Amino acid sequence: VSPEFIGLGNILGIAFGARGVPGAAAHYEPSQTVINLTKNGGAGSLAHEFGHALDHILGESIKENSKMLTSAVGSYLTDQANLKTIKTQSPLGKELISIVAELLNSFKSQSINEFGINVNTKFYQDSVHFDKAKSKSYYSTNKEMFARAFETYIYQKLNDIKEPCHYLVSGILNEDNLLENEKYEYPI
């Protein structure tokens, strides 16, 4: 991976223990385009936060003042007038919206059963389950599901080449490590 990609075109910054949010091991700040990793708890969170940064940068690449691409996808697809606001000079534009919409749908909808009803994925069902302990949706939001899926992708790629990096990502389990019917907030 090129250094330019790691810095998302040399615009992404990383702060170590300087911008902490109480209760968070790490967080991404779209307004500053910076990932903050806390001193004591940030290790293992970098891939997740990079997923948020990628989501944000892709959103900005197709529409000025977009918060996150994943947050905007639903409104773009349901409101055709919104499609006209996408930057026409972007090589990504409408095609990227379509790809991300398909990706997000794959997180949530696994198949259609014999009665014509969408069957939700375990990833989405478990995310909704974890949201019940919160005052509002968090785990089941598009941006969180995208970041956790990206984090899982990085974990799997590193394991495929037998080069785990617990600083980039840690704490991801595979299906063999879960009890039957155990709830889990990552895709497996």
Side-chain angles (χ1 to χ4, degrees), residues 51-92:
H52 283 309
L54 182 62
D55 183 6
H56 172 240
I57 299 306
L58 289 173
E60 284 285 321
S61 76
I62 62 164
K63 185 175 188 300
E64 290 180 35
N65 301 319
S66 176
K67 291 182 181 174
M68 305 291 235
L69 179 61
T70 54
S71 298
V73 166
S75 65
Y76 286 132
L77 295 176
T78 57
D79 181 1
Q80 290 299 309
N82 259 334
L83 286 173
K84 294 176 184 162
T85 66
I86 294 172
K87 290 181 183 177
T88 54
Q89 71 273 22
S90 170
L92 304 171

Side-chain angles (χ1 to χ4, degrees), residues 135-149:
S135 60
K136 63 180 185 174
S137 293
Y138 172 76
Y139 289 100
S140 65
T141 61
N142 287 344
K143 69 180 184 177
E144 276 307 311
M145 291 184 75
F146 178 85
R148 290 195 323 276

Side-chain angles (χ1 to χ4, degrees), residues 5-106:
F5 179 76
I6 292 170
L8 296 175
N10 296 321
I11 60 170
L12 178 63
I14 297 179
F16 296 96
R19 307 173 68 83
V21 172
H27 70 278
Y28 172 68
E29 295 177 35
S31 63
Q32 300 298 317
T33 321
V34 67
I35 293 171
N36 180 69
L37 303 173
T38 60
K39 290 179 203 172
N40 299 322
S45 302
L46 188 55
H48 179 94
E49 299 308 326
F50 188 88
H52 283 309
L54 182 62
D55 183 6
H56 172 240
I57 299 306
L58 289 173
E60 284 285 321
S61 76
I62 62 164
K63 185 175 188 300
E64 290 180 35
N65 301 319
S66 176
K67 291 182 181 174
M68 305 291 235
L69 179 61
T70 54
S71 298
V73 166
S75 65
Y76 286 132
L77 295 176
T78 57
D79 181 1
Q80 290 299 309
N82 259 334
L83 286 173
K84 294 176 184 162
T85 66
I86 294 172
K87 290 181 183 177
T88 54
Q89 71 273 22
S90 170
L92 304 171
K94 295 173 186 165
E95 184 177 352
L96 182 61
I97 290 280
S98 176
I99 291 167
V100 171
E102 187 176 330
L103 176 68
L104 293 174
N105 188 49
S106 74

